[in-house]
Amino acid sequence: GLIENVGNYDSDLAIPEGYGHAKAMGQRLASSGMPIKHVFSDPFLRCMRTGDLIVQTLNEYAAKSEPESTKTKGISLKVEEGLTEWQVPSLLVSADGVRTNPKTLKEHQKIFKMIDASYQSLNPQGTDRFDLTADFQPRFPETEAELHLRCKHTLFQFLKFTSDNIAIVSHAPCVQSMAMALEGVTSPADSNIVGPWSLGGMTLFSRPANSKEEKWKLELFSDTSHMPGEYQLGETGKWSLDSFDPAKK
């Protein structure tokens, strides 16, 4: 697994525990009554593995529950660079100064069979940040404020891409930022909902279909009721940006 300032920064899920966690998330989504049409994943391996197992579980569930006359080919996994890990040394650079980059789409296609090869990132990785110019692309290095802008932009690109139900697989800093964006605030100090993120936690926002002017409603935040064993309590593996952690404010 990943340890901040130590690595492995592109670690895979543990077998069988991590795989079981991902399948539990897929089962939770499959049984939610809200059909997921698109699954977007960060390109780092642990998120890709999670997304791949979620997609497999969703497709297996649909194959069993859909009538033969309405069966579809299932959904695939969309690799989105705008969801990539927070671009800071503590989460990307080893003690000997080597920066970890995620695998390319072609490399992922050799590992995962459920990838949507036709999908192109809506917010692709940019070149390193050599000046103080702020934009919406993921660039190294990245301040927390730049992280919030990048994740908000990526999220809103998804909402332009489709009006269907979507699932997003990413890292705690990114999902905290996106939750804040859907809450409608621009600073962690103004957030009333975002807190530390539990391992395997699921957050759900909803609004009526085709109601683009209506505010998003928070249904779940970092919910772990689907997780097995001690992880169901939500304390194991919990992580947060300091700005969202009441104990560190």
Side-chain angles (χ1 to χ4, degrees):
L2 181 151
I3 301 175
E4 196 170 358
N5 288 307
V6 176
N8 174 353
Y9 297 123
D10 196 25
S11 57
D12 200 348
L13 295 183
I15 302 174
E17 188 176 55
Y19 278 52
H21 294 171
K23 290 178 181 179
M25 287 185 268
Q27 291 164 359
R28 174 81 180 270
L29 289 170
S31 61
S32 67
M34 296 176 288
I36 302 297
K37 298 299 184 180
H38 303 278
V39 178
F40 299 93
S41 174
D42 155 273
F44 275 86
L45 185 55
R46 57 195 177 280
C47 286
M48 287 294 299
R49 184 74 67 187
T50 301
D52 183 70
L53 290 167
I54 286 174
V55 165
Q56 287 184 42
T57 304
L58 290 172
N59 286 340
E60 289 168 1
Y61 186 91
K64 292 177 182 178
S65 59
E66 290 179 356
E68 286 292 334
S69 59
T70 62
K71 280 188 177 178
T72 61
K73 65 177 183 179
I75 62 175
S76 53
L77 182 63
K78 294 176 169 62
V79 186
E80 176 53 57
E81 294 176 5
L83 297 173
T84 194
E85 179 66 276
W86 187 16
Q87 302 285 284
V88 292
S90 66
L91 294 172
L92 294 175
V93 181
S94 65
D96 56 3
V98 177
R99 192 199 315 174
T100 298
N101 293 308
K103 291 177 173 58
T104 65
L105 180 61
K106 287 185 178 181
E107 289 172 327
H108 278 310
Q109 286 177 298
K110 295 177 181 179
I111 302 172
F112 304 105
K113 305 303 181 185
M114 308 301 297
I115 290 177
D116 183 345
S118 67
Y119 177 80
Q120 295 185 334
S121 284
L122 302 176
N123 191 15
Q125 179 79 36
T127 57
D128 284 2
R129 199 183 306 274
F130 296 111
D131 54 38
L132 298 179
T133 303
D135 58 27
F136 302 119
Q137 280 187 284
R139 296 181 188 273
F140 183 92
E142 186 177 53
T143 66
E144 185 176 320
E146 289 161 346
L147 168 73
H148 296 324
L149 286 173
R150 182 250 294 184
C151 293
K152 179 179 180 180
H153 179 74
T154 303
L155 174 65
F156 288 169
Q157 291 298 106
F158 291 156
L159 300 179
K160 291 179 182 178
F161 178 81
T162 181
S163 59
D164 292 322
N165 297 330
I166 67 174
I168 298 171
V169 183
S170 189
H171 310 271
C174 299
V175 291
Q176 284 184 314
S177 295
M178 287 185 281
M180 184 178 73
L182 290 176
E183 185 184 5
V185 299
T186 58
S187 169
D190 298 325
S191 176
N192 293 314
I193 64 168
V194 183
W197 206 276
S198 300
L199 181 68
M202 297 182 68
T203 291
L204 170 65
F205 282 87
S206 68
R207 69 180 180 187
N210 302 316
S211 299
K212 294 184 178 180
E213 302 303 317
E214 194 161 332
K215 289 185 176 181
W216 289 92
K217 179 183 178 183
L218 177 68
E219 307 280 357
L220 300 169
F221 183 81
S222 193
D223 186 85
T224 52
S225 59
H226 55 280
M227 292 288 280
E230 64 178 319
Y231 293 94
Q232 195 171 92
L233 300 176
E235 294 301 320
T236 303
K238 184 177 284 188
W239 193 94
S240 180
L241 290 163
D242 288 353
S243 56
F244 288 117
D245 190 343
K248 296 180 181 179
K249 286 185 178 180

